[in-house]
Amino acid sequence: MGNEKACDIIIKDGRIFDGSGSPGLIGDIAVTDGQLIAAGDIGAWTAREIIDATGLAVAPGFIDTHTHDDMALLRQPAHPTKVTQGVTTVVIGNCGASPAPLGPRDDLVEPPFTFLGRSDGRKFETYADYVDALTKAGPEVHVIKLVGHSNLRAAAMIEPHGQPNDIEMAAMKAHLDEAMASGCVGFSVGLAYPTGNPAPTAELVELAQVAAVHGGLYATHMRDEADGVVASVEESIEIGKRGGVPVLISHHKCCGSENWGRSVDTLARIDAAADAGQRIYMDAYPYTASSTGLTAPMAARAERVLVTESVPHADQANRDLTDIMADWQCDMETAVDRLSPAKAVYFQMSEEDLDRILAHPRCMVGSDGMPSDDHPHPRLWGTFPRVLGHYARDRKLFELGQAIRKITALPAECFGLADRGHIAAGMAADLVIFDPDTVTDRATYEMPERVSEGIATVIVGGEVRYERR
Ligand code: ZN
Ligand code: CU
């Protein structure tokens, strides 16, 4: 035993995908004190736990770049919706909504505030207050934080659906500054929503400049993902340039059949900005249906609408809007009115655009799941196994190594996570062991809360958090 060194965990004989995009190589990994200390041909070690990964893939823990898990992490720190998919890091505060400042706004029952779910009476005046609560809750995944622009407006403005005066603008910047100082890595906007949409480009540039002082990024649910999607991409690029911040285009898509195919144009503009030296990224979820608040104009554009939640008519969740209209013998506007506040799944994207966006080398994967919905979009439980199983293995849209890069090293680069997203000595011991032959999402539109298959072991910071064999 003389030459053997002791560590906490050894993962043996797995096919190691290091996050770089290259194909996997058989080898071992040694973990101690929450860190990877050796990978590949590791030499002689003893460990208190040896995990046999023969026939399985080993990858860095997955990073979910777009979530609304802010309040769910407080309610259920074990975070099963994501850990069961191999996710070890979530990015919260998207689409303009975060738990602070002053959120979630129970008085504003409209998107994006509703994405976080019920506040259970909790109100966080400052971002630091939320960070305190999160630390106390002790989530079992890493949490990367964005502050929501709609919160900045709601906290600073008397009428957040209008334009800020100079005093309110200064207050917004002070709230943003506080959030960045309290650990946010940037701010997000929901420019399609009532509190985000009134903001002109200049307001966003001014805020981006505040984030830039802290090295922050700008994550955008763009103003228009339908007819105006190309102009919206251009506005995002402009804000990044003038604000001096990296840009992340959230859940990139082209909505409505009349806009299918426009991703050729949007991706060309993103490539041109990147070629010109701008830091620009995007994410997408691997489904052709979206999900957000229920509105009549959005319902009118979709091929099919599935209601996922209705506050006054909870019994209508998981029903098609057309069936509800038939039952109630009313038109779409009336049905939407009676169901509201409500959320829905909209079938409105083309598989071709989705393939093109998902396969793009700057595209990451963000689930965008709504953890508080009664009948959520299946992306909440199925996104990552679906990328690995359906898109990489079955449809061969990209190599498995490339799929893994999209959900590990690329988001680590985007969010500046120096010790995550790669398998190498010195990195955090966030690891996923899965079976590349069987990994499959099981959540469907009909049964959205089914746990995925093929994810064997998930290790977060050197602790085994999930096992299924
Ligand atoms: Zn969004
Ligand atoms: Cu979102």
Side-chain angles (χ1 to χ4, degrees), residues 66 68 94-95 115 189-190 193 221 225 250-251 253 368:
H66 187 108
H68 298 287
N94 282 286
C95 296
F115 298 170
V189 297
Y193 300 121
H221 175 151
E225 296 179 307
S250 299
H251 45 59
K253 58 172 106 63
D368 203 9

Side-chain angles (χ1 to χ4, degrees), residues 36-177:
L36 302 180
I37 46 172
D41 184 4
I42 65 171
W45 288 86
T46 56
R48 65 169 161 79
E49 186 172 0
I50 293 178
I51 300 174
D52 179 9
T54 307
L56 303 177
V58 186
F62 306 151
I63 300 171
D64 188 346
T65 59
H66 187 108
T67 84
H68 298 287
D69 294 343
D70 315 51
M71 298 303 287
L73 288 164
L74 301 183
R75 284 193 294 268
Q76 206 175 10
H79 214 47
T81 55
K82 300 297 166 64
V83 173
T84 56
Q85 301 183 54
V87 170
T88 58
T89 300
V90 296
V91 180
I92 60 168
N94 282 286
C95 296
S98 52
L102 279 183
R105 294 281 304 235
D106 290 350
D107 53 327
L108 292 172
V109 282
E110 60 185 40
F113 301 104
T114 47
F115 298 170
L116 304 188
R118 295 164 295 275
S119 72
D120 303 325
R122 296 180 194 239
K123 294 249 181 195
F124 304 108
E125 213 161 296
T126 65
Y127 207 91
D129 293 341
Y130 169 71
V131 172
D132 277 352
L134 189 64
T135 307
K136 275 194 199 104
E140 293 185 7
V141 293
H142 303 293
V143 182
I144 304 299
K145 301 172 280 284
L146 300 170
V147 63
H149 169 243
S150 285
N151 285 77
L152 300 177
R153 292 186 125 241
M157 296 169 64
I158 291 169
E159 178 36 86
H161 301 103
Q163 302 298 326
N165 60 33
D166 291 352
I167 295 167
E168 290 172 330
M169 190 66 215
M172 248 194 275
K173 287 161 119 176
H175 281 298
L176 174 54
D177 200 59

Side-chain angles (χ1 to χ4, degrees), residues 228-248:
V229 67
V230 174
S232 284
V233 167
E234 289 195 322
E235 184 192 28
S236 309
I237 291 170
E238 184 192 340
I239 291 164
K241 210 183 282 174
R242 288 170 56 198
V245 288
V247 174
L248 165 52

Side-chain angles (χ1 to χ4, degrees), residues 284-357:
Y285 44 79
Y287 298 87
T288 53
S290 65
S291 181
T292 183
L294 177 65
T295 70
M298 284 196 68
R301 192 189 294 124
E303 322 277 297
R304 183 190 156 203
V305 180
L306 183 67
V307 174
T308 58
E309 181 194 66
S310 162
V311 174
H313 293 281
D315 54 317
Q316 300 300 316
N318 194 21
R319 294 200 69 207
D320 270 48
L321 185 60
T322 47
D323 294 337
I324 299 171
M325 286 157 58
D327 276 7
W328 290 354
Q329 302 207 338
C330 67
D331 62 14
M332 187 179 277
E333 299 245 334
T334 313
V336 168
D337 237 34
R338 286 173 60 185
L339 290 163
S340 295
K343 296 199 206 86
V345 164
Y346 300 94
F347 294 83
Q348 57 171 352
M349 284 106 87
S350 81
E351 190 71 59
E352 236 177 65
D353 280 321
L354 175 56
D355 285 0
R356 195 178 291 126
I357 292 167

